[in-house]
Amino acid sequence: MMSTQNGNGAGKAGGKFGQQQWKMLLLTMFCYLFFYTGRHNFGWAAKHLAATLHISYEKIGWVSFAMLIGYAAGQLINGNLADRFSPKHMIAAGGLLSVVANVLISFSSSFTVILVLWTLNGYFQSMAWASGSRIISNWWQDKRRGMAFGMYTMAAGCSSVITYLFSILLVHESWRNVFRIPVLFLAVAVVIFFLFVRNAPEDTDAGAVATERPNWLEAYKAVFSNKRFLIVCLALGFQSMARYALIFWVPLYFMSKEVQRGMGDVWISLLLPIGMATGALSFGFISDRLFNANRVKSIALGMSLCCVVSLLLYWLPVHSGWLVGVFVFCAGFFSYGPQANFWPLSPELLGHAYVGTGIGIMNMCAYLFAAIGEPLMGHLIDRTGSKSVIFLTVAFIALLSAISILLTTLVKKHTGGKVVTLHSLSSIKSSV
């Protein structure tokens, strides 16, 4: 499902095409704004769920691990499907099935049933991100692609804010409501998205001519043979592991502090996803404007600062609520913001034809790493008896991400007789 429109839509539909670009971006953002209500809610239920089921935090970590594995496996499959079939149908199906899985969990008291349903929920949730990226890439093929993906990633960060807000309000009433009420908003958003979004310009009156979809095997070969792209996937894996360690375990950290110092600490945790959403939007502009589309430098800077902030949260004897809040905001900003710079690397390294497949495999790696981190973090908390070990672990993982992404500068490729690096590749138009 490809489009041959030029970067700004000039000569095709003038201002009308630009309006359509923004409409499709905002619709896709609106839909994803509520997707995490069906996935990031689990961390808030962890404490009460462990008590209800009489299990350890390590076992809770394994439930989260199962969901992330389901999500990772789904990315490998659904990213490729998004290149060949209708992305909006995949998003709608995944969103509604996720709602069903969450509601069923809310009525269960069986560890096994919850484990199975949460694994399936991971797969259902995986049907959205690569498909939405496919839609955005179809509509935004100019120098503003970094900005478009930054806004899309910001919507995901804002989705965490919404989920955290709902969870804080509901978890003390009943952990079961965390799986029931927020996902109703997801169901409504999915329906609105499905009715009004269009997959690509060729689906509208202002459209271009569609070209042949890539063969599925050809798409996988193109992705897995690109060494530079695989290194990017490794760096994204560490970034996602750090991010999910914060998203899943920070609520537990502040709920434990609540017993000591009152409800205020729980609300401080809301600054984490707010920082993430702000970081996602900011890094989209940072890479395009400050670093002239050099995603590698932008990512390396962000993850290095994430390491520093996490170490500060672990080491400094900070007792002031507002200062803790500043650090938590910064941890979210720098742990998640760089992710906005990863997604444009798929079309820049692989070409427009393989956007869905590339982003699907990127996200698969991201969630495989995140999945490995969940039971490991739970085990560390059980062994040390300290929730603050979360921040020390995140600092180490963030450093690995920064180092990994810099390795891409060592991998060179000959194109048209010239040796090009990752930065210079962004200025070369892909022929597919």
Side-chain angles (χ1 to χ4, degrees), residues 174-223:
S174 171
W175 66 265
R176 298 183 186 277
N177 286 340
V178 173
F179 293 99
R180 292 173 183 169
I181 297 175
V183 291
L184 298 180
F185 291 86
L186 171 58
V188 173
V190 163
V191 172
I192 294 174
F193 165 83
F194 182 79
L195 291 176
F196 295 104
V197 83
R198 297 294 179 267
N199 287 320
E202 57 263 27
D203 293 342
T204 69
D205 293 335
V209 179
T211 58
E212 186 179 356
R213 298 181 178 93
N215 176 272
W216 69 271
L217 184 59
E218 173 191 342
Y220 282 126
K221 285 182 177 179
V223 173

Side-chain angles (χ1 to χ4, degrees), residues 3-17:
S3 164
T4 58
Q5 86 269 13
N6 58 27
N8 57 16
K12 288 173 57 212
K16 183 177 180 181
F17 180 76

Side-chain angles (χ1 to χ4, degrees), residues 209-245:
V209 179
T211 58
E212 186 179 356
R213 298 181 178 93
N215 176 272
W216 69 271
L217 184 59
E218 173 191 342
Y220 282 126
K221 285 182 177 179
V223 173
F224 284 113
S225 63
N226 191 313
K227 294 180 180 179
R228 189 181 291 107
F229 183 80
L230 296 180
I231 295 174
V232 169
C233 289
L234 175 66
L236 178 60
F238 287 124
Q239 180 275 330
S240 186
M241 183 184 287
R243 171 204 175 197
Y244 258 85

Side-chain angles (χ1 to χ4, degrees), residues 164 178 193 201 363 432:
Y164 267 49
V178 173
F193 165 83
N363 226 5
V432 294

Side-chain angles (χ1 to χ4, degrees), residues 153-389:
T153 310
M154 180 196 68
C158 289
S159 187
S160 292
V161 176
I162 291 173
T163 305
Y164 267 49
L165 182 59
F166 275 128
S167 299
I168 290 172
L169 294 173
L170 295 170
V171 70
H172 290 281
E173 179 181 342
S174 171
W175 66 265
R176 298 183 186 277
N177 286 340
V178 173
F179 293 99
R180 292 173 183 169
I181 297 175
V183 291
L184 298 180
F185 291 86
L186 171 58
V188 173
V190 163
V191 172
I192 294 174
F193 165 83
F194 182 79
L195 291 176
F196 295 104
V197 83
R198 297 294 179 267
N199 287 320
E202 57 263 27
D203 293 342
T204 69
D205 293 335
V209 179
T211 58
E212 186 179 356
R213 298 181 178 93
N215 176 272
W216 69 271
L217 184 59
E218 173 191 342
Y220 282 126
K221 285 182 177 179
V223 173
F224 284 113
S225 63
N226 191 313
K227 294 180 180 179
R228 189 181 291 107
F229 183 80
L230 296 180
I231 295 174
V232 169
C233 289
L234 175 66
L236 178 60
F238 287 124
Q239 180 275 330
S240 186
M241 183 184 287
R243 171 204 175 197
Y244 258 85
L246 292 171
I247 280 289
F248 188 86
W249 294 105
V250 160
L252 177 67
Y253 173 82
F254 281 107
M255 288 179 76
S256 299
K257 292 293 182 184
E258 171 196 341
V259 177
Q260 305 169 25
R261 300 192 301 210
M263 261 301 275
D265 276 354
V266 175
W267 285 98
I268 288 175
S269 66
L270 187 62
L271 291 171
L272 178 72
I274 291 176
M276 290 183 174
T278 307
L281 179 62
S282 300
F283 270 82
F285 286 98
I286 287 171
S287 69
D288 282 354
R289 304 289 176 84
L290 185 60
F291 289 103
N292 194 26
N294 189 323
R295 320 290 181 197
V296 169
K297 287 184 179 179
S298 182
I299 292 169
L301 174 65
M303 297 313 299
S304 297
L305 291 174
C306 175
C307 173
V308 172
V309 171
S310 298
L311 287 175
L312 289 174
L313 278 167
Y314 179 75
W315 274 327
L316 293 183
V318 178
H319 301 290
S320 171
W322 71 267
L323 191 55
V324 172
V326 169
F327 284 143
V328 169
F329 176 89
C330 290
F333 187 94
F334 293 117
S335 67
Y336 187 57
Q339 191 172 110
N341 297 157
F342 277 100
W343 309 119
L345 290 174
S346 178
E348 289 171 11
L349 290 173
L350 302 173
H352 182 66
Y354 308 123
V355 170
T357 304
I359 287 180
I361 290 173
M362 287 175 71
N363 226 5
M364 177 197 70
C365 293
Y367 280 85
L368 279 176
F369 276 67
I372 293 169
E374 293 303 280
L376 174 62
M377 189 67 75
H379 178 72
L380 288 173
I381 292 173
D382 285 336
R383 284 292 300 271
T384 63
S386 170
K387 309 298 189 301
S388 60
V389 72

